[in-house]
Amino acid sequence: GAGVSQSPSNKVTEKGKDVELRCDPISGHTALYWYRQSLGQGLEFLIYFQGNSAPDKSGLPSDRFSAERTGGSVSTLTIQRTQQEDSAVYLCASSRGRTDTGELFFGEGSRLTVL
Amino acid sequence: AQTVTQSQPEMSVQEAETVTLSCTYDTSESDYYLFWYKQPPSRQMILVIRQEAYKQQNATENRFSVNFQKAAKSFSLKISDSQLGDAAMYFCAYNSGGSNYKLTFGKGTLLTVNP
């Protein structure tokens, strides 16, 4: 596609429910990132996928969070048993590879609200 | 661990005037990359400008320029001839390059442009 596409744009859920957030990166981009942006905070790294390598999951805040990337393209971030502190904007980004050029291309994010 | 600090949560500027956004960072690396990203209300992060630490010349992109002070670990963004479309959240970010693929972000500065 022309850009990074994320869905849903907004999601309201009840505490304890599971949610799935989807990211469709730019075609041909091998690297995919998930970041979390909480109110008044910067962007917090969650997880990184690069090609067929094992993902870097070091930023996932708890075992309720997981992500997968199928076929080296679309990625799904899953949050199980959501808590109110999970409320945030979840941003997905993709790039051609290493980030030393800084060329991360971001989607518009999925705003999650946990009631 | 690297940290990025933006000491100005909010800034305002009159249209056509110049404004400078501050950023400091902490690192023990000698070679690295610094970036400014813009996040308008649409939430999509856009790369504004980047600077390689080994380059002494300050980066410039049209009305955007940086003042990179390596010894002071300072990386400020100057926006000249401010336009209403410049109103956004601005994030400073750091990457150590090499095999490191994570960007470390500051908490952002909200820029308002007054007509």
Side-chain angles (χ1 to χ4, degrees):
Chain A
V4 177
S5 178
Q6 290 189 246
S7 61
S9 179
N10 290 283
K11 175 72 176 179
V12 179
T13 191
E14 294 179 349
K15 178 181 173 181
K17 294 287 181 68
D18 297 351
V19 297
E20 286 188 350
L21 308 176
R22 175 189 167 101
C23 173
D24 196 349
I26 293 173
S27 178
H29 281 192
T30 58
L32 187 146
Y33 314 75
W34 283 98
Y35 282 84
R36 178 168 71 175
Q37 183 178 17
S38 302
L39 188 64
Q41 301 295 315
L43 276 70
E44 174 190 6
F45 168 80
L46 296 178
I47 189 168
Y48 164 79
F49 296 90
Q50 171 59 55
N52 295 320
S53 302
D56 176 353
K57 305 178 181 180
S58 61
L60 295 178
S62 76
D63 59 8
R64 296 186 296 104
F65 288 72
S66 63
E68 63 177 20
R69 188 179 185 191
T70 54
S73 181
V74 173
S75 176
T76 302
L77 177 68
T78 301
I79 309 173
Q80 296 178 310
R81 305 180 302 282
T82 52
Q83 303 294 312
Q84 288 183 332
E85 60 262 30
D86 299 334
S87 295
V89 174
Y90 290 83
L91 291 167
C92 176
S94 69
S95 70
R96 292 183 181 87
R98 288 164 40 176
T99 58
D100 53 353
T101 66
E103 295 289 352
L104 288 192
F105 296 83
F106 284 84
E108 294 187 355
S110 293
R111 181 181 298 280
L112 174 66
T113 303
V114 182
L115 301 177
Chain B
Q2 290 85 9
T3 58
V4 178
T5 302
Q6 293 178 249
S7 59
Q8 307 153 315
E10 296 184 26
M11 291 283 285
S12 64
V13 63
Q14 291 296 126
E15 195 175 5
E17 302 274 301
T18 295
V19 64
T20 298
L21 307 184
S22 300
C23 173
T24 59
Y25 57 93
D26 184 27
T27 183
S28 57
E29 304 284 340
S30 60
D31 196 15
Y32 47 86
Y33 302 82
L34 296 163
F35 314 94
W36 280 97
Y37 273 86
K38 171 185 177 181
Q39 186 181 39
S42 70
R43 297 199 307 239
Q44 187 168 28
M45 301 272 286
I46 303 165
L47 178 65
V48 174
I49 199 166
R50 63 186 285 265
Q51 173 83 41
E52 292 114 334
Y54 66 87
K55 290 186 177 179
Q56 293 185 336
Q57 186 174 7
N58 289 323
T60 299
E61 288 286 343
N62 301 313
R63 297 182 295 106
F64 298 87
S65 62
V66 299
N67 183 5
F68 173 49
Q69 301 290 328
K70 191 173 184 179
K73 295 181 182 176
S74 172
F75 182 61
S76 60
L77 175 69
K78 185 171 82 171
I79 306 174
S80 304
D81 185 26
S82 298
Q83 301 176 359
L84 295 178
D86 294 333
M89 196 77 167
Y90 286 82
F91 291 94
C92 180
Y94 166 99
N95 173 264
S96 62
S99 61
N100 181 27
Y101 38 76
K102 301 175 192 175
L103 284 179
T104 300
F105 288 86
K107 292 187 177 182
T109 297
L110 180 63
L111 178 66
T112 303
V113 181
N114 301 310

